[in-house]
Amino acid sequence: MGTPERRKGQGDQVGRPGRKDQAGQAGRVRRLATPVGILAAVAGAFAYVASVDPNESGHYPVCPLLKLTGVLCPGCGGLRSAHAFIHGDLGAALGANAIATVGYFLFAAVWGLWLVRAWRGQPLRIGLAPVWWWGVGAVLLIFTVVRNLPFGSALAP
């Protein structure tokens, strides 16, 4: 009595990755491509802002709302904030645009969560109730109004 014949692909493959391992690695690379690509784009933008000083005139366009109305929008000072943040001056970053500076940390936290979940093969689902979105809008509106009033000049860039 001999040993039964083995079908093609059913051998002992100790130490050799199979198709399932290769497919798993390809799937992981595919899942990580988007968060890594987003980080590369953000890092490139920050590198540009770090090298081209927004405090010097002529390098970046003026905020259209500021130019037309004289009103500071919630994003005014964001480039100066990013420049100071990249150069390690957290005080100047907060002074230029406190909301943007908080946003940098929030982006880093969400991106880290996204990367971990992508590594594990889980989707990134941030299900915020509408009240949270309304709250974010209210904070941005209050920030905009206060920074344009005389007593809120500390929030102006």
Side-chain angles (χ1 to χ4, degrees), residues 40-56:
V42 169
F46 266 78
Y48 181 79
V49 172
S51 64
V52 180
D53 191 357
N55 295 305
E56 296 175 12

PDB file of all heavy atoms in Angstrom, residues 40-56:
ATOM      1  N   ALA A  40       1.583  61.692   3.367  1.00  0.00           N
ATOM      2  CA  ALA A  40       2.616  62.218   2.477  1.00  0.00           C
ATOM      3  C   ALA A  40       2.194  63.574   1.905  1.00  0.00           C
ATOM      4  O   ALA A  40       3.008  64.509   1.832  1.00  0.00           O
ATOM      5  CB  ALA A  40       2.900  61.232   1.350  1.00  0.00           C
ATOM      6  N   ALA A  41       0.925  63.708   1.525  1.00  0.00           N
ATOM      7  CA  ALA A  41       0.439  64.978   0.987  1.00  0.00           C
ATOM      8  C   ALA A  41       0.477  66.071   2.050  1.00  0.00           C
ATOM      9  O   ALA A  41       0.913  67.202   1.786  1.00  0.00           O
ATOM     10  CB  ALA A  41      -0.982  64.809   0.448  1.00  0.00           C
ATOM     11  N   VAL A  42       0.037  65.754   3.261  1.00  0.00           N
ATOM     12  CA  VAL A  42       0.045  66.740   4.352  1.00  0.00           C
ATOM     13  C   VAL A  42       1.486  67.101   4.719  1.00  0.00           C
ATOM     14  O   VAL A  42       1.804  68.277   4.935  1.00  0.00           O
ATOM     15  CB  VAL A  42      -0.745  66.209   5.567  1.00  0.00           C
ATOM     16  CG1 VAL A  42      -0.542  67.081   6.790  1.00  0.00           C
ATOM     17  CG2 VAL A  42      -2.222  66.112   5.223  1.00  0.00           C
ATOM     18  N   ALA A  43       2.359  66.109   4.768  1.00  0.00           N
ATOM     19  CA  ALA A  43       3.767  66.383   5.083  1.00  0.00           C
ATOM     20  C   ALA A  43       4.398  67.261   3.999  1.00  0.00           C
ATOM     21  O   ALA A  43       5.177  68.172   4.310  1.00  0.00           O
ATOM     22  CB  ALA A  43       4.540  65.078   5.228  1.00  0.00           C
ATOM     23  N   GLY A  44       4.053  67.012   2.747  1.00  0.00           N
ATOM     24  CA  GLY A  44       4.566  67.846   1.662  1.00  0.00           C
ATOM     25  C   GLY A  44       4.075  69.286   1.773  1.00  0.00           C
ATOM     26  O   GLY A  44       4.846  70.233   1.578  1.00  0.00           O
ATOM     27  N   ALA A  45       2.798  69.450   2.101  1.00  0.00           N
ATOM     28  CA  ALA A  45       2.254  70.803   2.273  1.00  0.00           C
ATOM     29  C   ALA A  45       2.922  71.510   3.445  1.00  0.00           C
ATOM     30  O   ALA A  45       3.290  72.691   3.342  1.00  0.00           O
ATOM     31  CB  ALA A  45       0.740  70.732   2.479  1.00  0.00           C
ATOM     32  N   PHE A  46       3.104  70.804   4.546  1.00  0.00           N
ATOM     33  CA  PHE A  46       3.763  71.406   5.707  1.00  0.00           C
ATOM     34  C   PHE A  46       5.231  71.722   5.401  1.00  0.00           C
ATOM     35  O   PHE A  46       5.750  72.737   5.864  1.00  0.00           O
ATOM     36  CB  PHE A  46       3.646  70.497   6.935  1.00  0.00           C
ATOM     37  CG  PHE A  46       2.475  70.818   7.810  1.00  0.00           C
ATOM     38  CD1 PHE A  46       1.201  70.413   7.465  1.00  0.00           C
ATOM     39  CD2 PHE A  46       2.645  71.533   8.986  1.00  0.00           C
ATOM     40  CE1 PHE A  46       0.118  70.718   8.263  1.00  0.00           C
ATOM     41  CE2 PHE A  46       1.569  71.844   9.793  1.00  0.00           C
ATOM     42  CZ  PHE A  46       0.302  71.440   9.431  1.00  0.00           C
ATOM     43  N   ALA A  47       5.878  70.875   4.629  1.00  0.00           N
ATOM     44  CA  ALA A  47       7.276  71.146   4.263  1.00  0.00           C
ATOM     45  C   ALA A  47       7.372  72.404   3.409  1.00  0.00           C
ATOM     46  O   ALA A  47       8.284  73.218   3.591  1.00  0.00           O
ATOM     47  CB  ALA A  47       7.860  69.950   3.508  1.00  0.00           C
ATOM     48  N   TYR A  48       6.413  72.574   2.515  1.00  0.00           N
ATOM     49  CA  TYR A  48       6.412  73.782   1.689  1.00  0.00           C
ATOM     50  C   TYR A  48       6.197  75.028   2.552  1.00  0.00           C
ATOM     51  O   TYR A  48       6.910  76.027   2.407  1.00  0.00           O
ATOM     52  CB  TYR A  48       5.340  73.695   0.603  1.00  0.00           C
ATOM     53  CG  TYR A  48       5.307  74.915  -0.284  1.00  0.00           C
ATOM     54  CD1 TYR A  48       6.243  75.063  -1.298  1.00  0.00           C
ATOM     55  CD2 TYR A  48       4.379  75.926  -0.091  1.00  0.00           C
ATOM     56  CE1 TYR A  48       6.254  76.191  -2.105  1.00  0.00           C
ATOM     57  CE2 TYR A  48       4.373  77.056  -0.888  1.00  0.00           C
ATOM     58  CZ  TYR A  48       5.312  77.185  -1.904  1.00  0.00           C
ATOM     59  OH  TYR A  48       5.314  78.300  -2.688  1.00  0.00           O
ATOM     60  N   VAL A  49       5.204  74.960   3.442  1.00  0.00           N
ATOM     61  CA  VAL A  49       4.923  76.111   4.320  1.00  0.00           C
ATOM     62  C   VAL A  49       6.106  76.366   5.249  1.00  0.00           C
ATOM     63  O   VAL A  49       6.398  77.514   5.586  1.00  0.00           O
ATOM     64  CB  VAL A  49       3.613  75.894   5.106  1.00  0.00           C
ATOM     65  CG1 VAL A  49       3.407  76.961   6.156  1.00  0.00           C
ATOM     66  CG2 VAL A  49       2.429  75.870   4.156  1.00  0.00           C
ATOM     67  N   ALA A  50       6.813  75.324   5.649  1.00  0.00           N
ATOM     68  CA  ALA A  50       7.983  75.501   6.508  1.00  0.00           C
ATOM     69  C   ALA A  50       9.110  76.203   5.765  1.00  0.00           C
ATOM     70  O   ALA A  50       9.857  76.984   6.354  1.00  0.00           O
ATOM     71  CB  ALA A  50       8.468  74.153   7.031  1.00  0.00           C
ATOM     72  N   SER A  51       9.232  75.957   4.462  1.00  0.00           N
ATOM     73  CA  SER A  51      10.339  76.535   3.706  1.00  0.00           C
ATOM     74  C   SER A  51      10.014  77.897   3.100  1.00  0.00           C
ATOM     75  O   SER A  51      10.925  78.685   2.850  1.00  0.00           O
ATOM     76  CB  SER A  51      10.788  75.566   2.612  1.00  0.00           C
ATOM     77  OG  SER A  51       9.738  75.369   1.684  1.00  0.00           O
ATOM     78  N   VAL A  52       8.734  78.179   2.850  1.00  0.00           N
ATOM     79  CA  VAL A  52       8.327  79.467   2.279  1.00  0.00           C
ATOM     80  C   VAL A  52       7.543  80.214   3.352  1.00  0.00           C
ATOM     81  O   VAL A  52       6.391  79.909   3.615  1.00  0.00           O
ATOM     82  CB  VAL A  52       7.483  79.269   1.004  1.00  0.00           C
ATOM     83  CG1 VAL A  52       7.074  80.613   0.431  1.00  0.00           C
ATOM     84  CG2 VAL A  52       8.238  78.454  -0.020  1.00  0.00           C
ATOM     85  N   ASP A  53       8.173  81.180   3.967  1.00  0.00           N
ATOM     86  CA  ASP A  53       7.622  81.891   5.118  1.00  0.00           C
ATOM     87  C   ASP A  53       6.375  82.699   4.748  1.00  0.00           C
ATOM     88  O   ASP A  53       6.450  83.617   3.934  1.00  0.00           O
ATOM     89  CB  ASP A  53       8.689  82.807   5.702  1.00  0.00           C
ATOM     90  CG  ASP A  53       8.300  83.385   7.043  1.00  0.00           C
ATOM     91  OD1 ASP A  53       7.183  83.127   7.516  1.00  0.00           O
ATOM     92  OD2 ASP A  53       9.142  84.101   7.624  1.00  0.00           O
ATOM     93  N   PRO A  54       5.219  82.370   5.359  1.00  0.00           N
ATOM     94  CA  PRO A  54       4.010  83.137   5.068  1.00  0.00           C
ATOM     95  C   PRO A  54       4.006  84.515   5.724  1.00  0.00           C
ATOM     96  O   PRO A  54       3.132  85.335   5.425  1.00  0.00           O
ATOM     97  CB  PRO A  54       2.879  82.260   5.630  1.00  0.00           C
ATOM     98  CG  PRO A  54       3.524  81.354   6.594  1.00  0.00           C
ATOM     99  CD  PRO A  54       4.960  81.216   6.195  1.00  0.00           C
ATOM    100  N   ASN A  55       4.956  84.802   6.599  1.00  0.00           N
ATOM    101  CA  ASN A  55       5.044  86.121   7.223  1.00  0.00           C
ATOM    102  C   ASN A  55       5.604  87.166   6.266  1.00  0.00           C
ATOM    103  O   ASN A  55       5.484  88.363   6.511  1.00  0.00           O
ATOM    104  CB  ASN A  55       5.895  86.057   8.492  1.00  0.00           C
ATOM    105  CG  ASN A  55       5.232  85.201   9.552  1.00  0.00           C
ATOM    106  OD1 ASN A  55       4.093  85.425   9.928  1.00  0.00           O
ATOM    107  ND2 ASN A  55       5.947  84.187  10.018  1.00  0.00           N
ATOM    108  N   GLU A  56       6.228  86.725   5.192  1.00  0.00           N
ATOM    109  CA  GLU A  56       6.730  87.629   4.164  1.00  0.00           C
ATOM    110  C   GLU A  56       5.662  87.771   3.090  1.00  0.00           C
ATOM    111  O   GLU A  56       5.125  86.782   2.602  1.00  0.00           O
ATOM    112  CB  GLU A  56       8.023  87.077   3.552  1.00  0.00           C
ATOM    113  CG  GLU A  56       9.169  86.971   4.535  1.00  0.00           C
ATOM    114  CD  GLU A  56      10.390  86.317   3.922  1.00  0.00           C
ATOM    115  OE1 GLU A  56      10.434  86.159   2.680  1.00  0.00           O
ATOM    116  OE2 GLU A  56      11.291  85.960   4.679  1.00  0.00           O
TER     117      GLU A  56
END
